[in-house]
Amino acid sequence: MPELPEVENFKRYLNATSLHQRIISVDVRDAYVLKSVTARELARRLKGRRFESSCRHGKHLFARADGDLWLRLHFGMTGSLRYFKGQGKAPNHARVLFVFANTHCLAFEDQRKFGEIGLIKDVNEFLKKRVLGPDALDISRSQFRDVLRTHRGPVKSMLLNQKLIAGVGNIYADEILFRARIHPATQVSVLKEKTVAKLFRAARDILKKAIEAKADMDRMPKSWLLPRRGKGGKCSRCGRGLKSAVIGGRTAWFCAHCQKSASEVRLPA
Ligand SMILES: [Zn+2]
């Protein structure tokens, strides 16, 4: 599921391939993806325009078309972007194609159909309406601390809650907690100041490194949890088998030996 590092890479990909080219048509092949806009309106409003810039907030990507119109993209479970030549060569799961004057296309691919595409006037207004928290790479240390100090629940649920901090999903939440050596079920209320600071640093570091690795699992450090998470996976620190538990409705993977601290942990029942 695309999280902040994946979406940041989609942004860079879009910037490298699709800016400043005239859009000659928009081919909607599956309209489920459209939110608050029809296929005809999407095509009509984008035709003749160019994408001029883009920005990302959490897991949302926004591409600005000239004339101050924003295309918004959310990648759901399996969404991604692909730029290619020739409309006939569209990937299997292309749901919407933006066709450029140079005969290349940008496809929004989405096998499992949880993605979203819409048109908006103003990014900040949209973020407000969705009540999204600050982006996980923009949030300051004191903001981060305040979020944790004013909410209750397991630390992993905090990290996953897009209304508190936007961008972290199941995979990177586990990675961040593994790095910070915090058990995912730890109640935030018992985290000490220095543990909160450690968690903040771990979040920044993991997200930045994952972006640098192009969110490609094969390029992630071997010491990370990501290449090992799952049945039979072993901790890169102590070699013990990884454990899983459902926390905040999602399956967490962790090392019960390395991610604990007697005073700070309440194990899931
Ligand atoms: Zn371990």
Side-chain angles (χ1 to χ4, degrees), residues 19-268:
L19 294 186
H20 316 303
Q21 301 184 50
R22 195 161 52 84
I23 301 165
I24 57 165
S25 66
V26 180
D27 177 3
V28 176
R29 300 189 164 185
D30 203 332
Y32 81 89
V33 72
L34 303 180
K35 303 295 169 208
S36 312
V37 66
T38 63
R40 184 189 272 192
E41 193 189 358
L42 184 74
R44 184 180 61 77
R45 293 185 68 191
L46 285 176
K47 199 174 162 183
R49 295 183 198 268
R50 294 169 168 83
F51 295 126
E52 296 292 2
S53 61
S54 70
C55 66
R56 181 193 57 72
H57 188 100
K59 303 176 195 173
H60 292 265
L61 177 60
F62 306 93
R64 189 179 69 81
D66 54 319
D68 278 332
L69 183 67
W70 291 86
L71 178 75
R72 78 167 183 87
L73 305 165
H74 190 279
F75 297 87
M77 300 277 290
T78 54
S80 67
L81 296 177
R82 179 107 71 93
Y83 183 78
F84 60 96
K85 191 174 165 64
Q87 210 170 336
K89 292 179 187 152
N92 278 345
H93 302 293
R95 308 303 182 187
V96 176
L97 299 180
F98 302 93
V99 185
F100 299 113
N102 69 355
T103 73
H104 282 64
C105 301
L106 180 70
F108 182 85
E109 289 182 276
D110 186 20
Q111 188 178 353
R112 293 191 53 192
K113 301 193 178 188
F114 288 98
E116 294 181 10
I117 289 181
L119 284 178
I120 56 171
K121 269 195 204 150
D122 188 283
V123 171
N124 286 329
E125 219 170 79
F126 173 81
L127 299 178
K128 239 189 208 169
K129 217 159 118 191
R130 285 283 175 113
V131 209
L132 287 173
D135 184 78
L137 274 180
D138 279 343
I139 193 169
S140 69
R141 192 166 144 168
S142 64
Q143 274 178 308
F144 185 84
R145 183 188 169 279
D146 289 350
V147 165
L148 265 63
R149 288 293 175 239
T150 51
H151 292 85
R152 286 167 181 276
V155 62
K156 180 161 177 194
S157 305
M158 298 293 109
L159 292 177
L160 290 179
N161 187 339
Q162 302 299 300
K163 291 183 164 63
L164 302 180
I165 300 164
V168 178
N170 198 36
I171 299 282
Y172 291 103
D174 282 356
E175 195 67 57
I176 289 162
L177 292 166
F178 180 72
R179 166 69 63 88
R181 300 195 182 209
I182 300 170
H183 190 291
T186 310
Q187 295 291 317
V188 282
S189 55
V190 303
L191 292 178
K192 292 171 185 156
E193 283 301 316
K194 68 169 198 240
T195 311
V196 171
K198 192 159 83 173
L199 181 60
F200 175 74
R201 285 197 303 273
R204 289 189 74 78
D205 193 51
I206 293 292
L207 294 172
K208 283 185 177 170
K209 287 227 167 69
I211 291 169
E212 281 167 26
K214 301 204 182 312
D216 176 351
M217 206 201 286
D218 295 334
R219 297 187 190 206
M220 307 263 177
K222 295 283 173 275
S223 61
W224 280 22
L225 182 70
L226 220 155
R228 304 149 182 274
R229 80 197 287 281
K231 267 211 172 94
K234 296 208 176 348
C235 173
S236 59
R237 287 197 192 100
C238 72
R240 290 175 171 86
L242 298 171
K243 294 258 183 328
S244 69
V246 176
I247 297 161
R250 308 293 302 276
T251 300
W253 284 93
F254 54 94
C255 173
H257 177 74
C258 295
Q259 290 171 258
K260 66 178 178 187
S261 155
S263 62
E264 296 189 353
V265 166
R266 277 170 229 167
L267 292 165

